[in-house]
Amino acid sequence: MQSATYEQLSLRVAHAIVEQIRIKPKCCLGLPTGHTPILTYQILANWSSGQGQYADSDAPAIDWSQVLCFALDDYLNVDEKHTFQAFLEKHLYSHTNLPLDNRLNPCASEDYDLLIESCGGLDLTVLGIGGNGHIAFNEPGTMALSYTHCIWLSESTRVANQEAFGNLESTPHTGITMGLQTILSSARIILMASSEAKRKIVERAFDEPVTLDLPASLLQTHSHTDVWTDFGYEKSFGNTI
Ligand code: PGA
């Protein structure tokens, strides 16, 4: 299979999000942070604001007025500018008409799962994958039957995320994350992975048996998950008929 470029992968995910909003304007989205979704957010931001490289003057602006966005995870005990909420504000929310009250984060909720459920449940959740197979901040060994919970970040995750903090010492040790069960309760899931560096972990997670050592592998049991990459790997689970 010919590999999609990072731009094509990002456009594909952006289109899937827009399609979800079009078919259900009051939908619940689970949204990731990290390097991988940055262009997807730029595209959505441009389509929403009508400004920038990807703005399309012929297409109607995306209407986020009823959408509910749930951050997958966040750090605990960091200054505001380093939070994932700030990341989502900067790259996506501030370019849209998403109401402030609809920008939801596990740090700001006493019972995130109950909140998600009371809003009708996640319709579409977009995920990245960590170098150790984590999804959101569900590190290897997380229980399958986990809901939103606080976690200790693994060393490899802290190393991967240290760029934003300047050095490893300043990188947080703790976070809060949707659990594996929270994620698996989403009606649809798209896992996006970019760069050859992710190939090995993607192949282990999706071509080998499910194991709690690789939390992403649990997506094999989900009823509608697509794995999309820009290195020629693609797989779907549960929706193949
Ligand atoms: P990345 O992070 O997009 O920066 O590679 C993915 C993740 O850790 O889930």
Side-chain angles (χ1 to χ4, degrees), residues 5-16:
T5 62
Y6 174 58
E7 184 181 48
Q8 288 165 335
L9 169 66
S10 305
L11 280 162
R12 191 178 187 187
V13 177
H15 276 294

mmCIF file with all atom_site columns, all heavy atoms in Angstrom, residues 5-16:
data_model
loop_
_atom_site.group_PDB
_atom_site.id
_atom_site.type_symbol
_atom_site.label_atom_id
_atom_site.label_alt_id
_atom_site.label_comp_id
_atom_site.label_asym_id
_atom_site.label_entity_id
_atom_site.label_seq_id
_atom_site.pdbx_PDB_ins_code
_atom_site.Cartn_x
_atom_site.Cartn_y
_atom_site.Cartn_z
_atom_site.occupancy
_atom_site.B_iso_or_equiv
_atom_site.pdbx_formal_charge
_atom_site.auth_seq_id
_atom_site.auth_comp_id
_atom_site.auth_asym_id
_atom_site.auth_atom_id
_atom_site.pdbx_PDB_model_num
ATOM 1  N N   . THR A 1 5  ? 0.779   10.675 3.191  1.00 0.00 ? 5  THR A N   1
ATOM 2  C CA  . THR A 1 5  ? 1.680   11.625 3.836  1.00 0.00 ? 5  THR A CA  1
ATOM 3  C C   . THR A 1 5  ? 1.051   12.025 5.174  1.00 0.00 ? 5  THR A C   1
ATOM 4  O O   . THR A 1 5  ? -0.129  11.756 5.427  1.00 0.00 ? 5  THR A O   1
ATOM 5  C CB  . THR A 1 5  ? 1.840   12.896 2.980  1.00 0.00 ? 5  THR A CB  1
ATOM 6  O OG1 . THR A 1 5  ? 0.547   13.502 2.866  1.00 0.00 ? 5  THR A OG1 1
ATOM 7  C CG2 . THR A 1 5  ? 2.382   12.561 1.597  1.00 0.00 ? 5  THR A CG2 1
ATOM 8  N N   . TYR A 1 6  ? 1.829   12.714 5.997  1.00 0.00 ? 6  TYR A N   1
ATOM 9  C CA  . TYR A 1 6  ? 1.296   13.206 7.266  1.00 0.00 ? 6  TYR A CA  1
ATOM 10 C C   . TYR A 1 6  ? 0.116   14.151 7.001  1.00 0.00 ? 6  TYR A C   1
ATOM 11 O O   . TYR A 1 6  ? -0.881  14.140 7.717  1.00 0.00 ? 6  TYR A O   1
ATOM 12 C CB  . TYR A 1 6  ? 2.415   13.920 8.046  1.00 0.00 ? 6  TYR A CB  1
ATOM 13 C CG  . TYR A 1 6  ? 1.951   14.592 9.308  1.00 0.00 ? 6  TYR A CG  1
ATOM 14 C CD1 . TYR A 1 6  ? 1.311   13.870 10.321 1.00 0.00 ? 6  TYR A CD1 1
ATOM 15 C CD2 . TYR A 1 6  ? 2.143   15.959 9.503  1.00 0.00 ? 6  TYR A CD2 1
ATOM 16 C CE1 . TYR A 1 6  ? 0.873   14.494 11.487 1.00 0.00 ? 6  TYR A CE1 1
ATOM 17 C CE2 . TYR A 1 6  ? 1.712   16.593 10.664 1.00 0.00 ? 6  TYR A CE2 1
ATOM 18 C CZ  . TYR A 1 6  ? 1.077   15.848 11.646 1.00 0.00 ? 6  TYR A CZ  1
ATOM 19 O OH  . TYR A 1 6  ? 0.645   16.471 12.798 1.00 0.00 ? 6  TYR A OH  1
ATOM 20 N N   . GLU A 1 7  ? 0.247   14.937 5.923  1.00 0.00 ? 7  GLU A N   1
ATOM 21 C CA  . GLU A 1 7  ? -0.852  15.865 5.594  1.00 0.00 ? 7  GLU A CA  1
ATOM 22 C C   . GLU A 1 7  ? -2.115  15.092 5.209  1.00 0.00 ? 7  GLU A C   1
ATOM 23 O O   . GLU A 1 7  ? -3.224  15.432 5.643  1.00 0.00 ? 7  GLU A O   1
ATOM 24 C CB  . GLU A 1 7  ? -0.419  16.788 4.453  1.00 0.00 ? 7  GLU A CB  1
ATOM 25 C CG  . GLU A 1 7  ? -1.474  17.837 4.132  1.00 0.00 ? 7  GLU A CG  1
ATOM 26 C CD  . GLU A 1 7  ? -1.062  18.733 2.976  1.00 0.00 ? 7  GLU A CD  1
ATOM 27 O OE1 . GLU A 1 7  ? -0.620  18.186 1.932  1.00 0.00 ? 7  GLU A OE1 1
ATOM 28 O OE2 . GLU A 1 7  ? -1.186  19.962 3.119  1.00 0.00 ? 7  GLU A OE2 1
ATOM 29 N N   . GLN A 1 8  ? -1.942  14.033 4.407  1.00 0.00 ? 8  GLN A N   1
ATOM 30 C CA  . GLN A 1 8  ? -3.129  13.235 4.016  1.00 0.00 ? 8  GLN A CA  1
ATOM 31 C C   . GLN A 1 8  ? -3.763  12.550 5.221  1.00 0.00 ? 8  GLN A C   1
ATOM 32 O O   . GLN A 1 8  ? -4.978  12.482 5.349  1.00 0.00 ? 8  GLN A O   1
ATOM 33 C CB  . GLN A 1 8  ? -2.731  12.202 2.946  1.00 0.00 ? 8  GLN A CB  1
ATOM 34 C CG  . GLN A 1 8  ? -2.453  12.826 1.593  1.00 0.00 ? 8  GLN A CG  1
ATOM 35 C CD  . GLN A 1 8  ? -1.726  11.881 0.637  1.00 0.00 ? 8  GLN A CD  1
ATOM 36 O OE1 . GLN A 1 8  ? -1.018  10.955 1.068  1.00 0.00 ? 8  GLN A OE1 1
ATOM 37 N NE2 . GLN A 1 8  ? -1.891  12.098 -0.650 1.00 0.00 ? 8  GLN A NE2 1
ATOM 38 N N   . LEU A 1 9  ? -2.917  12.036 6.108  1.00 0.00 ? 9  LEU A N   1
ATOM 39 C CA  . LEU A 1 9  ? -3.434  11.411 7.333  1.00 0.00 ? 9  LEU A CA  1
ATOM 40 C C   . LEU A 1 9  ? -4.228  12.442 8.146  1.00 0.00 ? 9  LEU A C   1
ATOM 41 O O   . LEU A 1 9  ? -5.338  12.162 8.621  1.00 0.00 ? 9  LEU A O   1
ATOM 42 C CB  . LEU A 1 9  ? -2.254  10.871 8.158  1.00 0.00 ? 9  LEU A CB  1
ATOM 43 C CG  . LEU A 1 9  ? -2.557  10.424 9.593  1.00 0.00 ? 9  LEU A CG  1
ATOM 44 C CD1 . LEU A 1 9  ? -3.475  9.204  9.600  1.00 0.00 ? 9  LEU A CD1 1
ATOM 45 C CD2 . LEU A 1 9  ? -1.247  10.111 10.344 1.00 0.00 ? 9  LEU A CD2 1
ATOM 46 N N   . SER A 1 10 ? -3.675  13.633 8.272  1.00 0.00 ? 10 SER A N   1
ATOM 47 C CA  . SER A 1 10 ? -4.320  14.681 9.078  1.00 0.00 ? 10 SER A CA  1
ATOM 48 C C   . SER A 1 10 ? -5.633  15.123 8.435  1.00 0.00 ? 10 SER A C   1
ATOM 49 O O   . SER A 1 10 ? -6.635  15.338 9.138  1.00 0.00 ? 10 SER A O   1
ATOM 50 C CB  . SER A 1 10 ? -3.376  15.879 9.223  1.00 0.00 ? 10 SER A CB  1
ATOM 51 O OG  . SER A 1 10 ? -2.144  15.457 9.759  1.00 0.00 ? 10 SER A OG  1
ATOM 52 N N   . LEU A 1 11 ? -5.631  15.254 7.107  1.00 0.00 ? 11 LEU A N   1
ATOM 53 C CA  . LEU A 1 11 ? -6.872  15.626 6.407  1.00 0.00 ? 11 LEU A CA  1
ATOM 54 C C   . LEU A 1 11 ? -7.935  14.548 6.598  1.00 0.00 ? 11 LEU A C   1
ATOM 55 O O   . LEU A 1 11 ? -9.114  14.842 6.803  1.00 0.00 ? 11 LEU A O   1
ATOM 56 C CB  . LEU A 1 11 ? -6.597  15.818 4.909  1.00 0.00 ? 11 LEU A CB  1
ATOM 57 C CG  . LEU A 1 11 ? -5.975  17.167 4.527  1.00 0.00 ? 11 LEU A CG  1
ATOM 58 C CD1 . LEU A 1 11 ? -5.350  17.106 3.144  1.00 0.00 ? 11 LEU A CD1 1
ATOM 59 C CD2 . LEU A 1 11 ? -7.023  18.292 4.585  1.00 0.00 ? 11 LEU A CD2 1
ATOM 60 N N   . ARG A 1 12 ? -7.505  13.299 6.563  1.00 0.00 ? 12 ARG A N   1
ATOM 61 C CA  . ARG A 1 12 ? -8.452  12.186 6.718  1.00 0.00 ? 12 ARG A CA  1
ATOM 62 C C   . ARG A 1 12 ? -9.115  12.218 8.093  1.00 0.00 ? 12 ARG A C   1
ATOM 63 O O   . ARG A 1 12 ? -10.328 12.041 8.212  1.00 0.00 ? 12 ARG A O   1
ATOM 64 C CB  . ARG A 1 12 ? -7.673  10.881 6.516  1.00 0.00 ? 12 ARG A CB  1
ATOM 65 C CG  . ARG A 1 12 ? -8.524  9.670  6.391  1.00 0.00 ? 12 ARG A CG  1
ATOM 66 C CD  . ARG A 1 12 ? -7.631  8.472  6.140  1.00 0.00 ? 12 ARG A CD  1
ATOM 67 N NE  . ARG A 1 12 ? -8.425  7.301  5.853  1.00 0.00 ? 12 ARG A NE  1
ATOM 68 C CZ  . ARG A 1 12 ? -7.921  6.090  5.721  1.00 0.00 ? 12 ARG A CZ  1
ATOM 69 N NH1 . ARG A 1 12 ? -6.626  5.890  5.846  1.00 0.00 ? 12 ARG A NH1 1
ATOM 70 N NH2 . ARG A 1 12 ? -8.706  5.059  5.467  1.00 0.00 ? 12 ARG A NH2 1
ATOM 71 N N   . VAL A 1 13 ? -8.311  12.451 9.116  1.00 0.00 ? 13 VAL A N   1
ATOM 72 C CA  . VAL A 1 13 ? -8.872  12.503 10.477 1.00 0.00 ? 13 VAL A CA  1
ATOM 73 C C   . VAL A 1 13 ? -9.757  13.745 10.626 1.00 0.00 ? 13 VAL A C   1
ATOM 74 O O   . VAL A 1 13 ? -10.852 13.678 11.200 1.00 0.00 ? 13 VAL A O   1
ATOM 75 C CB  . VAL A 1 13 ? -7.746  12.473 11.539 1.00 0.00 ? 13 VAL A CB  1
ATOM 76 C CG1 . VAL A 1 13 ? -8.327  12.610 12.940 1.00 0.00 ? 13 VAL A CG1 1
ATOM 77 C CG2 . VAL A 1 13 ? -6.938  11.177 11.420 1.00 0.00 ? 13 VAL A CG2 1
ATOM 78 N N   . ALA A 1 14 ? -9.313  14.866 10.067 1.00 0.00 ? 14 ALA A N   1
ATOM 79 C CA  . ALA A 1 14 ? -10.121 16.092 10.144 1.00 0.00 ? 14 ALA A CA  1
ATOM 80 C C   . ALA A 1 14 ? -11.477 15.872 9.460  1.00 0.00 ? 14 ALA A C   1
ATOM 81 O O   . ALA A 1 14 ? -12.524 16.269 9.988  1.00 0.00 ? 14 ALA A O   1
ATOM 82 C CB  . ALA A 1 14 ? -9.368  17.258 9.502  1.00 0.00 ? 14 ALA A CB  1
ATOM 83 N N   . HIS A 1 15 ? -11.460 15.221 8.300  1.00 0.00 ? 15 HIS A N   1
ATOM 84 C CA  . HIS A 1 15 ? -12.727 14.939 7.599  1.00 0.00 ? 15 HIS A CA  1
ATOM 85 C C   . HIS A 1 15 ? -13.628 14.045 8.447  1.00 0.00 ? 15 HIS A C   1
ATOM 86 O O   . HIS A 1 15 ? -14.847 14.244 8.489  1.00 0.00 ? 15 HIS A O   1
ATOM 87 C CB  . HIS A 1 15 ? -12.459 14.267 6.245  1.00 0.00 ? 15 HIS A CB  1
ATOM 88 C CG  . HIS A 1 15 ? -12.147 15.248 5.151  1.00 0.00 ? 15 HIS A CG  1
ATOM 89 N ND1 . HIS A 1 15 ? -13.060 16.164 4.673  1.00 0.00 ? 15 HIS A ND1 1
ATOM 90 C CD2 . HIS A 1 15 ? -11.024 15.464 4.438  1.00 0.00 ? 15 HIS A CD2 1
ATOM 91 C CE1 . HIS A 1 15 ? -12.502 16.900 3.723  1.00 0.00 ? 15 HIS A CE1 1
ATOM 92 N NE2 . HIS A 1 15 ? -11.261 16.502 3.560  1.00 0.00 ? 15 HIS A NE2 1
ATOM 93 N N   . ALA A 1 16 ? -13.049 13.060 9.108  1.00 0.00 ? 16 ALA A N   1
ATOM 94 C CA  . ALA A 1 16 ? -13.859 12.150 9.944  1.00 0.00 ? 16 ALA A CA  1
ATOM 95 C C   . ALA A 1 16 ? -14.514 12.922 11.095 1.00 0.00 ? 16 ALA A C   1
ATOM 96 O O   . ALA A 1 16 ? -15.670 12.667 11.453 1.00 0.00 ? 16 ALA A O   1
ATOM 97 C CB  . ALA A 1 16 ? -12.984 11.014 10.475 1.00 0.00 ? 16 ALA A CB  1
#
